[in-house]
Amino acid sequence: MYRSGSVFITVNSLKDAFIELNWDPTTSEDGRGPEHIALYNCDIRKTSVCETHLYVKIRAREHPKGYYKTQIKFNLSKLPGNWCYNSTSPGHAGPQDLPYWIVSFTEDLQIIDIQSMKIQPTWMGDHSDTLGHQHIGNLIIPGTHNSACCVGAPFFTKDYVINQDRTIWEQLVFGIRYLDLRIACYFEVDDRPAFHINHDFIRVQRVERVFEEIKKFLERSPKEVLIVDFHRFPRPKKWLDHLHDMFIHYTFNELGPYAYVRNASVHPKGPTLNEIWAARKNIIFTHAEWCYTEKYLWLWPSIPHAWADTTCVLSLKQFLENFLNRDSTRQAMFHAIMAELTPTFKDVLLRRNKLRKLANDVNPNLTRWVKDWNHRVNIVTSDFFLGNDLINLAIYINSSR
């Protein structure tokens, strides 16, 4: 994987959601290089001709960057392996293939590489023999930015509020293991506080639904470890102590049994997965306000986030590289690179640089960046995460160490 002629599938971040073909265009030492790239509905090594459907086939040399956007729309009508949210049967362990297979061929039609697009609902447990002894702060953790901003925004704000097009459940089933949550508090008719996910000042969905999806996923995937980051508290502008305490108690009531409690002897790069599994826990909760992490030992300190606040891809890359080169970043238990572009206030007024467009600018580059940065990377977040291959790359690099 990730060698000469290797292939992977992504989904374009724009609304059309076309399948994208990606491959390494270089020629290997034995002179074998990809001549043809094709997209099929199944594994052509195992199925008969009558069951095989060829979506598209292209000449690799006509696309020297190793990238081609098809006109085939990504369709996820049902998750395989009993991983639909409402399924009553246990989900199958291991990667589960979707009906999209990419193949690279030599000139004489010998297969160089073949990969499916897949969900990875149990990838940490699947690789427990190689991942168990590793500290979580040394792993590459694929995450999403504004994770729960995936449904519910008012129509006129959607282009600048919705950062994901998959639910929390789907994100976790695909293999996301870091969730970036921004918490807001609203007061209902009887003046009782109700906690919601916000994108800045825009209300998106209730926290209750997000917690339900997390809980259901962990019930079905007991060896997966999540980092749930209470990254920001945008509403009200000033959270009083009693509101923070109410939210913390609410969270503990809902997800407390999964919370991994920190201790004074923890390694500088956090616990190993074996240690987390031995405690029969699944979630490391981090909190933006240090005073509450001092008060509640199941809340971990705030994570350093690298946010470039730019609309320029090159500026984003340079900012993230500078962040990764800092001594303080290397010494921190966790760190998160926020690998997304941010529209300006003027962009919103002029209806330009919408979030999908900006994600489409970044995502085709992001897999290659992280592959090059490799061991320096911990948490990586992105918008419209199916536009990159970070989940499979993280699994590959983590299990190869």
Side-chain angles (χ1 to χ4, degrees), residues 74-93:
F74 176 62
N75 179 19
L76 188 65
S77 58
K78 184 179 180 182
L79 290 166
N82 289 331
W83 283 101
C84 292
Y85 182 72
N86 293 320
S87 175
T88 56
S89 301
H92 298 171

Side-chain angles (χ1 to χ4, degrees), residues 35 37 44 60 63 78 101 129 148 182 277 351:
E35 179 66 23
I37 307 293
I44 61 173
H63 307 277
K78 184 179 180 182
W101 289 76
D129 54 337
R182 322 291 177 96
W277 292 331
R351 306 297 293 176

Side-chain angles (χ1 to χ4, degrees), residues 10-233:
T10 52
V11 178
N12 189 265
S13 301
L14 299 177
K15 286 183 179 179
D16 288 334
F18 289 130
I19 294 284
E20 300 170 318
L21 309 182
N22 304 265
W23 66 96
D24 186 334
T26 59
T27 301
S28 62
E29 292 180 1
D30 62 3
R32 287 161 57 93
E35 179 66 23
H36 302 280
I37 307 293
L39 180 68
Y40 293 92
N41 67 324
C42 58
D43 186 345
I44 61 173
R45 300 166 300 182
K46 299 179 181 178
T47 50
S48 64
V49 174
C50 62
E51 296 172 316
T52 301
H53 176 70
L54 173 65
Y55 289 113
V56 64
K57 187 176 183 179
I58 61 170
R59 282 196 173 273
R61 68 177 67 176
E62 295 176 2
H63 307 277
K65 292 184 177 180
Y67 169 85
Y68 178 76
K69 184 174 77 171
T70 74
Q71 297 299 300
I72 308 301
K73 285 195 172 186
F74 176 62
N75 179 19
L76 188 65
S77 58
K78 184 179 180 182
L79 290 166
N82 289 331
W83 283 101
C84 292
Y85 182 72
N86 293 320
S87 175
T88 56
S89 301
H92 298 171
Q96 307 294 315
D97 300 319
L98 299 175
Y100 301 104
W101 289 76
I102 181 174
V103 188
S104 57
F105 295 100
T106 61
E107 190 170 3
D108 58 354
L109 296 182
Q110 297 297 308
I111 294 176
I112 300 173
D113 192 23
I114 178 168
Q115 299 289 336
S116 68
M117 190 174 187
K118 56 181 72 71
I119 59 173
Q120 297 273 10
T122 57
W123 67 264
M124 287 179 162
D126 297 339
H127 296 88
S128 58
D129 54 337
T130 55
L131 300 186
H133 67 281
Q134 297 190 52
H135 296 275
I136 194 166
N138 286 328
L139 294 175
I140 297 179
I141 305 292
T144 45
H145 168 238
N146 269 324
S147 304
C149 292
C150 51
V151 295
F155 178 78
F156 66 93
T157 67
K158 267 182 130 173
D159 292 331
Y160 298 96
V161 170
I162 299 299
N163 296 87
Q164 308 298 333
D165 51 9
R166 300 291 153 193
T167 64
I168 293 293
W169 170 264
E170 291 171 328
Q171 291 175 41
L172 297 175
V173 168
F174 266 98
I176 293 297
R177 295 295 176 264
Y178 165 90
L179 299 176
D180 163 24
L181 303 181
R182 322 291 177 96
I183 310 301
C185 181
Y186 294 84
F187 293 92
E188 297 178 336
V189 177
D190 57 358
D191 283 337
R192 293 182 60 188
F195 299 109
H196 288 255
I197 300 295
N198 264 35
H199 186 140
D200 293 331
F201 57 89
I202 303 295
R203 186 182 342 193
V204 178
Q205 64 169 313
R206 294 182 71 99
V207 168
E208 178 184 2
R209 172 66 179 186
V210 173
F211 284 2
E212 285 174 358
E213 294 182 50
I214 292 172
K215 189 186 304 182
K216 186 165 185 176
F217 174 75
L218 293 179
E219 288 171 354
R220 301 179 70 181
S221 300
K223 293 197 78 172
E224 300 309 288
V225 177
L226 313 182
I227 299 175
V228 176
D229 184 9
F230 298 132
H231 184 163
R232 198 175 294 167
F233 296 86

Side-chain angles (χ1 to χ4, degrees), residues 206-391:
R206 294 182 71 99
V207 168
E208 178 184 2
R209 172 66 179 186
V210 173
F211 284 2
E212 285 174 358
E213 294 182 50
I214 292 172
K215 189 186 304 182
K216 186 165 185 176
F217 174 75
L218 293 179
E219 288 171 354
R220 301 179 70 181
S221 300
K223 293 197 78 172
E224 300 309 288
V225 177
L226 313 182
I227 299 175
V228 176
D229 184 9
F230 298 132
H231 184 163
R232 198 175 294 167
F233 296 86
R235 178 193 166 96
K237 191 172 182 179
K238 181 173 176 59
W239 277 60
L240 299 177
D241 285 347
H242 77 280
L243 287 182
H244 272 295
D245 285 331
M246 288 183 70
F247 174 69
I248 290 167
H249 290 147
Y250 168 71
T251 300
F252 193 78
N253 287 337
E254 295 296 316
L255 296 173
Y258 301 99
Y260 186 80
V261 178
R262 58 194 167 88
N263 58 67
S265 62
V266 69
H267 187 275
K269 285 297 181 180
T272 65
L273 293 191
N274 280 336
E275 289 171 332
I276 299 173
W277 292 331
R280 298 185 180 275
K281 302 299 181 183
N282 300 82
I283 304 177
I284 290 178
F285 288 99
T286 61
H287 194 286
E289 304 288 342
W290 69 267
C291 56
Y292 300 104
T293 65
E294 291 291 309
K295 185 176 179 181
Y296 300 97
L297 290 180
W298 61 274
L299 292 176
W300 292 61
S302 175
I303 295 174
H305 301 91
W307 176 51
D309 192 16
T310 181
T311 58
C312 173
V313 174
L314 292 179
S315 297
L316 172 66
K317 183 184 181 187
Q318 188 61 60
F319 180 89
L320 296 179
E321 286 181 335
N322 290 341
F323 175 82
L324 291 172
N325 287 333
R326 294 177 191 166
D327 287 340
S328 59
T329 299
R330 289 193 288 268
Q331 293 166 5
M333 182 178 297
F334 301 117
H335 63 265
I337 58 174
M338 315 301 284
E340 52 275 337
L341 299 174
T342 307
T344 65
F345 180 68
K346 188 174 181 180
D347 288 333
V348 177
L349 289 179
L350 298 177
R351 306 297 293 176
R352 67 187 184 192
N353 278 336
K354 298 176 181 179
L355 292 178
R356 283 188 178 275
K357 185 267 181 189
L358 294 177
N360 192 55
D361 291 344
V362 176
N363 276 329
N365 303 287
L366 187 53
T367 309
R368 183 177 67 255
W369 293 353
V370 174
K371 178 175 176 284
D372 291 341
W373 296 334
N374 199 323
H375 67 279
R376 292 185 289 164
V377 174
N378 178 212
I379 297 162
V380 190
T381 75
S382 60
D383 287 340
F384 304 102
F385 71 98
L386 292 180
N388 57 65
D389 198 41
L390 286 184
I391 293 169

